[in-house]
Amino acid sequence: MENFQNIFVTVFWTLFGIYFAYKLYRSIRIVSAQDCIVVEKFGKYSRTLHAGLHLLWPFIEKDAYYHTLKEQATDVPPQTCITKDNVKVEMDGILYLKVLDPHKASYGINDYQFASSQLAQTTMRAIIGTMDLDVTFETRDAINSKILEVLDLATESWGIKVNRYEIVNITPPKSILEAMEKEKKAQITKKAQISLSEGDRDARINRSLGFKEEAINKSEGEKQKRINEAEGVAKEVEAIAIATAKGIELLAQSINSKGGKDAVKLRIGQKFIKEFEKISGKHTEIVLPMNLTNFRSILKSVLGSGDSKD
């Protein structure tokens, strides 16, 4: 019996020593950078340990909560939302949050990541319910901003800060997707046809403008050509008239000079004879006046009776 008691005491003190050594070991805490430990003393909040070496009072203090001060990414599970035009869409997202106050994050909420995710889901459903399906695709940034605003107000008492919220996927039903694809295809076809028609219209306009400018240039060229020709003819006529006038003036001066009339008579006679030779060919029959043999009388008829004394 005494041996049994000795064995029991030995085992007891051995176990107590192991437990005490474990408690001593647990009282030494090394906290990494961007981490923190919330310490409780007799079940109450005592202090927050940050990066470095720390000692706890064995059997009095304990490390109750561990937190990371890094920014954390938390998935928001997919959920079904109903839009204003009664279309069911499945949406999911992701939260980027950070612990600012470890004390509030430990005692203000049980699980701040789960709570933030649930709050994001409910807020998303409420916002999507006020929008049509087409608007949800166009206003992702606006939806993200509204959800972030609601989360900021709610998470302030939890000691965390939600920095960003991003919608990952918006998935309508398959039938809606097919209808949207057909509508998009029709819009693309319509735009292509409009672009082709506008291009053809612009081409026609450009061609007509080109023809117009070509016609104008041709008419201007023709006009200038006619002006130049008319000016050339006018100058030619003017030159001929001036030359003729000068010739007549010189002829008149020659006639009025001494022996001028005789020279004119001689010249006319020579011209008459030359022309007569041209018309009197070998096989040509010519009817002449009876007095043609009298050359002197011919000259008188040509030059006039006033000169018969010569």
Side-chain angles (χ1 to χ4, degrees):
M1 187 69 179
E2 187 176 351
N3 291 333
F4 177 77
Q5 289 178 351
N6 291 333
I7 294 173
F8 177 78
V9 172
T10 301
V11 172
F12 174 77
W13 284 109
T14 301
L15 293 175
F16 180 78
I18 294 173
Y19 177 72
F20 186 78
Y22 172 75
K23 281 295 184 179
L24 288 176
Y25 170 76
R26 291 288 297 173
S27 65
I28 301 173
R29 288 289 177 267
I30 298 176
V31 182
S32 301
Q34 293 299 315
D35 287 339
C36 66
I37 298 175
V38 175
V39 178
E40 291 181 350
K41 186 176 181 180
F42 297 118
K44 293 182 179 181
Y45 171 75
S46 174
R47 53 198 169 115
T48 301
L49 306 180
H50 293 278
L53 176 64
H54 302 275
L55 296 176
L56 303 180
W57 290 100
F59 306 103
I60 298 176
E61 293 180 331
K62 70 172 184 177
D63 46 349
Y65 299 99
Y66 288 79
H67 295 288
T68 178
L69 302 179
K70 300 176 184 177
E71 188 172 9
Q72 306 172 55
T74 303
D75 290 329
V76 178
Q79 62 172 334
T80 301
C81 303
I82 301 176
T83 62
K84 186 178 180 180
D85 48 356
N86 294 323
V87 178
K88 293 183 179 181
V89 293
E90 191 174 79
M91 304 180 67
D92 60 347
I94 186 167
L95 281 170
Y96 296 90
L97 51 86
K98 186 176 183 180
V99 175
L100 298 181
D101 190 339
H103 177 263
K104 290 182 179 180
S106 300
Y107 302 102
I109 190 71
N110 184 37
D111 187 345
Y112 59 82
Q113 289 185 328
F114 176 76
S116 300
S117 175
Q118 291 298 307
L119 181 58
Q121 284 185 318
T122 56
T123 305
M124 185 188 298
R125 285 196 296 268
I127 294 173
I128 296 301
T130 62
M131 298 180 177
D132 293 332
L133 179 62
D134 294 338
V135 179
T136 59
F137 293 101
E138 300 171 358
T139 57
R140 285 196 178 197
D141 291 339
I143 295 172
N144 294 337
S145 298
K146 290 181 180 179
I147 294 175
L148 183 60
E149 183 180 352
V150 173
L151 289 173
D152 272 341
L153 294 175
T155 57
E156 184 178 359
S157 61
W158 301 346
I160 64 173
K161 170 68 176 177
V162 179
N163 294 325
R164 293 190 307 279
Y165 177 82
E166 297 290 339
I167 296 175
V168 178
N169 294 309
I170 301 177
T171 309
K174 186 177 180 180
S175 59
I176 299 297
L177 284 175
E178 292 176 353
M180 291 173 65
E181 289 177 358
K182 291 180 180 178
E183 181 181 1
K184 187 64 177 179
K185 184 177 180 181
Q187 290 178 354
I188 294 174
T189 303
K190 178 181 177 181
K191 288 182 179 179
Q193 293 175 350
I194 292 173
S195 298
L196 289 174
S197 64
E198 289 179 349
D200 183 64
R201 181 194 64 186
D202 294 341
R204 290 175 181 271
I205 292 173
N206 292 335
R207 284 196 296 269
S208 65
L209 291 175
F211 292 149
K212 178 182 176 182
E213 291 180 0
E214 181 181 3
I216 292 173
N217 292 334
K218 286 183 177 179
S219 64
E220 291 291 338
E222 188 67 24
K223 175 183 175 182
Q224 191 63 40
K225 177 183 176 183
R226 291 181 180 179
I227 291 172
N228 293 338
E229 289 178 350
E231 289 178 352
V233 171
K235 289 181 179 180
E236 181 182 1
V237 171
E238 182 181 1
I240 293 172
I242 293 172
T244 303
K246 287 183 177 181
I248 294 173
E249 183 180 357
L250 293 175
L251 181 61
Q253 292 177 359
S254 299
I255 293 173
N256 293 327
S257 64
K258 186 178 180 180
K261 293 182 179 181
D262 294 335
V264 171
K265 292 177 181 179
L266 179 60
R267 181 62 178 166
I268 292 174
Q270 291 175 350
K271 190 70 174 175
F272 177 80
I273 294 171
K274 187 178 290 186
E275 294 297 328
F276 184 76
E277 290 177 352
K278 288 182 181 179
I279 61 176
S280 59
K282 184 178 180 180
H283 302 288
T284 304
E285 294 182 357
I286 302 174
V287 179
L288 299 174
M290 294 179 63
N291 60 347
L292 185 61
T293 55
N294 189 356
F295 185 72
R296 191 177 183 86
S297 64
I298 294 173
L299 290 177
K300 288 182 178 180
S301 63
V302 173
L303 298 176
S305 60
D307 295 332
S308 58
K309 296 180 179 181
D310 297 331

